[in-house]
Amino acid sequence: MNSYTDDFSILNFQRDLVDWYKMNQRDLPWRADQDPYKVWVSEIMLQQTRVDTVIPYFNRFLSLFPTLEALAEADEEKVLKAWEGLGYYSRVRNLQTAVKEVAEQYGGRVPDTPEEISKLKGVGPYTAGAILSIAYGVPEPAVDGNVMRVLSRILLIEEDIGKAKSRTLFEKAVRELISKEDPSSFNQALMELGALICTPKSPACLTCPVHEHCRAFEQGRQRELPVKEKKTKVRHVDIAALILWREDGKYLIHKRPKEGLLANLWEFPNVPVKKRGQSEIEDLKVFLEAEWGISAEIGDHISNLDHVFSHLKWDIQLFEGRCIYEIGDKDDLKWVTFEEMEAYPFPVSHQKIIKLAKEVAVL
């Protein structure tokens, strides 16, 4: 089978791409040095999240956990709090688990071979390639959707980038293209090109440093690529949530299970609704009594919120209520003031509820 890089001027492409990167790279905090721990943290944060959003989180995270050992030894709730708002919380739980493994089994030094680093929790082929190439100068591919989009156009690859088998094809192409002298700059240059020039909807082809090498540009097909089938439909779930207060000025919050969606984060009481617009109050009362032995007087509907995950959308009807009878704190159930809430990590949807709760506070 022919390679996509046949009849492709690899050395000239490397030179044009890397030269452009060295002249135009953004000043990003994780590029200050090539510390593998910092590269690792940044790459995990950048999954599913924009660079501008990540920068303040990265700086704060590194101020709290400046070394691999500091993160390994940190309390999980403190780590989740530092990640609060970034979403996809399994990323940081896996990161901390893997960091502990590095501290215990590798003497605190991030592994520098594909075989070892790929064994760590949450380190897939892309993250492994990014750390190895950027921090250690190992010529490994770091292929994500960004890189697949760029190479789909440059090499005119018409395979669906949403299919798992396509990644292998793109990794093979990067292995053939990557600079052996400076794999760190090469991989970062591909990422930078995708972020600044070869964007999803409006690629700036005329200012692209490698447009002379781009087969899609030559044929005027750059907007047709990459090929990607549409995502499956997002599932909707109707939820009733409750701001439940007590006479002493405290509010009820609950810790989610340690497995599954938003694991170990805190939230206000909530329950899936049987009949939207009809059964919310009754559903909440039954849930409180059955789950926690709490009786409540539930009042007004306050607001509607929604929150979209990659596969799921929550439509939240928010109510407020007063506790009539309760049995006290449990490990996963706390009565807290607004000030005390600040120590607990909440998902974005429930951070919004905190803001609304402060606006309607009756105490």
Side-chain angles (χ1 to χ4, degrees):
M1 178 179 153
N2 291 337
S3 168
Y4 280 100
T5 60
D6 287 351
D7 301 320
F8 189 82
S9 182
I10 292 176
L11 291 177
N12 288 337
F13 173 73
Q14 290 174 356
R15 183 200 63 225
D16 292 344
L17 180 65
V18 171
D19 285 353
W20 168 81
Y21 172 70
K22 289 182 175 178
M23 291 286 291
N24 295 279
Q25 63 177 293
R26 289 169 292 177
D27 182 16
L28 301 174
W30 46 88
R31 289 179 177 162
D33 55 40
Q34 292 178 303
D35 181 336
Y37 169 64
K38 294 176 186 175
V39 173
W40 190 0
V41 170
S42 70
E43 289 299 338
I44 298 298
M45 284 190 170
L46 287 163
Q47 293 170 14
Q48 311 286 340
T49 310
R50 293 171 56 86
V51 167
D52 291 347
T53 301
V54 165
I55 290 172
Y57 278 95
F58 177 84
N59 289 332
R60 185 165 67 251
F61 198 87
L62 265 291
S63 70
L64 292 169
F65 317 111
T67 63
L68 186 146
E69 289 78 13
L71 180 57
E73 294 167 6
D75 177 70
E76 187 194 53
E77 196 146 280
K78 187 177 179 184
V79 174
L80 287 171
K81 184 67 181 176
W83 201 270
E84 184 183 65
L86 272 178
Y88 299 94
Y89 292 89
S90 60
R91 293 183 295 174
V92 73
R93 281 190 291 270
N94 289 341
L95 173 63
Q96 190 180 28
T97 299
V99 158
K100 287 178 181 178
E101 190 176 338
V102 171
E104 292 165 7
Q105 297 187 22
Y106 297 96
R109 186 178 190 274
V110 179
D112 60 3
T113 67
E115 296 74 27
E116 294 296 324
I117 201 168
S118 298
K119 294 176 184 175
L120 298 173
K121 181 104 171 167
V123 176
Y126 169 77
T127 305
I131 296 169
L132 291 171
S133 61
I134 297 170
Y136 292 123
V138 178
E140 278 291 304
V143 173
D144 63 356
N146 204 27
V147 168
M148 287 194 281
R149 179 179 67 254
V150 171
L151 292 182
S152 288
R153 292 167 176 166
I154 289 170
L155 298 176
L156 200 64
I157 298 174
E158 297 176 274
E159 299 292 328
D160 183 349
I161 66 169
K163 293 183 177 176
K165 66 178 183 179
S166 297
R167 178 177 295 276
T168 305
L169 185 155
F170 283 96
E171 286 175 348
K172 179 176 182 292
V174 173
R175 287 187 191 281
E176 294 167 1
L177 293 174
I178 196 168
S179 165
K180 306 300 188 290
E181 290 72 33
D182 192 358
S184 174
S185 292
F186 181 88
N187 274 347
Q188 290 184 89
L190 274 183
M191 299 170 193
E192 200 80 336
L193 190 70
L196 301 180
I197 304 289
C198 197
T199 54
K201 293 182 180 177
S202 302
C205 298
L206 296 179
T207 60
C208 176
V210 292
H211 73 259
E212 291 181 3
H213 305 276
C214 183
R215 292 168 178 168
F217 177 69
E218 183 183 12
Q219 296 185 21
R221 298 183 56 199
Q222 60 270 27
R223 291 178 186 272
E224 298 172 22
L225 296 166
V227 174
K228 188 176 183 182
E229 289 185 10
K230 290 185 177 179
K231 293 181 180 178
T232 54
K233 195 173 180 181
V234 173
R235 182 169 63 91
H236 287 246
V237 178
D238 291 318
I239 290 174
L242 180 65
I243 300 167
L244 186 64
W245 51 272
R246 209 167 59 175
E247 296 292 348
D248 62 357
K250 295 191 173 185
Y251 294 80
L252 186 67
I253 61 172
H254 167 251
K255 190 174 188 178
R256 291 179 66 88
K258 62 182 180 181
E259 303 288 341
L261 184 67
L262 305 176
N264 282 344
L265 297 183
W266 290 80
E267 63 184 3
F268 289 86
N270 65 90
V271 64
V273 172
K274 294 174 184 173
K275 294 183 180 179
R276 181 183 171 93
Q278 299 177 46
S279 67
E280 286 90 349
I281 291 177
E282 187 59 31
D283 290 342
L284 283 167
K285 284 183 175 180
V286 169
F287 173 77
L288 290 170
E289 184 69 48
E291 288 291 315
W292 302 320
I294 292 174
S295 296
E297 183 182 89
I298 298 178
D300 295 336
H301 169 256
I302 294 171
S303 184
N304 298 337
L305 300 168
D306 61 46
H307 188 73
V308 181
F309 301 90
S310 56
H311 61 296
L312 178 69
K313 181 181 180 186
W314 282 349
D315 290 310
I316 303 171
Q317 306 290 310
L318 182 61
F319 296 81
E320 63 87 22
R322 179 173 68 89
C323 179
I324 299 171
Y325 172 80
E326 48 94 8
I327 58 174
D329 285 0
K330 299 180 179 179
D331 288 343
D332 63 348
L333 211 60
K334 304 285 184 188
W335 289 94
V336 294
T337 63
F338 286 132
E339 187 176 351
E340 290 167 340
M341 272 182 214
E342 293 176 7
Y344 295 86
F346 287 83
V348 169
S349 52
H350 287 255
Q351 290 174 45
K352 294 176 183 175
I353 293 176
I354 292 174
K355 290 181 181 177
L356 288 166
K358 290 177 179 178
E359 290 174 10
V360 302
V362 294
L363 300 169

